Amino acid sequence: MQNNNCRQLDVTREIPRSVPLTLRELTGRRIRVVPFGALITQEFIAGRVTIYLNQQNLVRNVVVETCD
């Protein structure tokens, strides 16, 4: 069941550059990597990190699904 306070936190836009996202912070989290142009499901899983890649397979965007 989706909580009304749940949302996607766009790490690349909403967190200041002074707060780096490290691989250590991803330990134990559910992660999905989305290649450029891939189709994905729209289900919401609190705490999941989605990493979107560009055409060169470099990280384009990182989104964290969170509930307040």
Side-chain angles (χ1 to χ4, degrees):
M1 175 175 257
Q2 184 172 349
N3 183 331
N4 289 338
N5 294 330
C6 296
R7 67 186 185 100
Q8 290 187 336
L9 176 63
D10 187 338
V11 175
T12 54
R13 291 189 182 95
E14 298 181 46
I15 294 181
R17 294 271 181 213
S18 61
V19 182
L21 181 65
T22 66
L23 291 177
R24 183 178 309 275
E25 294 169 315
L26 299 178
T27 301
R29 289 186 176 238
R30 184 177 291 200
I31 299 173
R32 70 175 167 176
V33 178
V34 181
F36 181 80
L39 297 177
I40 60 172
T41 59
Q42 297 298 315
E43 82 276 7
F44 185 92
I45 300 174
R48 177 175 61 187
V49 177
T50 302
I51 301 171
Y52 295 91
L53 303 179
N54 65 15
Q55 290 176 321
Q56 292 78 34
N57 288 323
L58 300 174
V59 175
R60 174 178 56 94
N61 198 9
V62 177
V63 174
V64 178
E65 297 170 5
T66 185
C67 294
D68 298 331

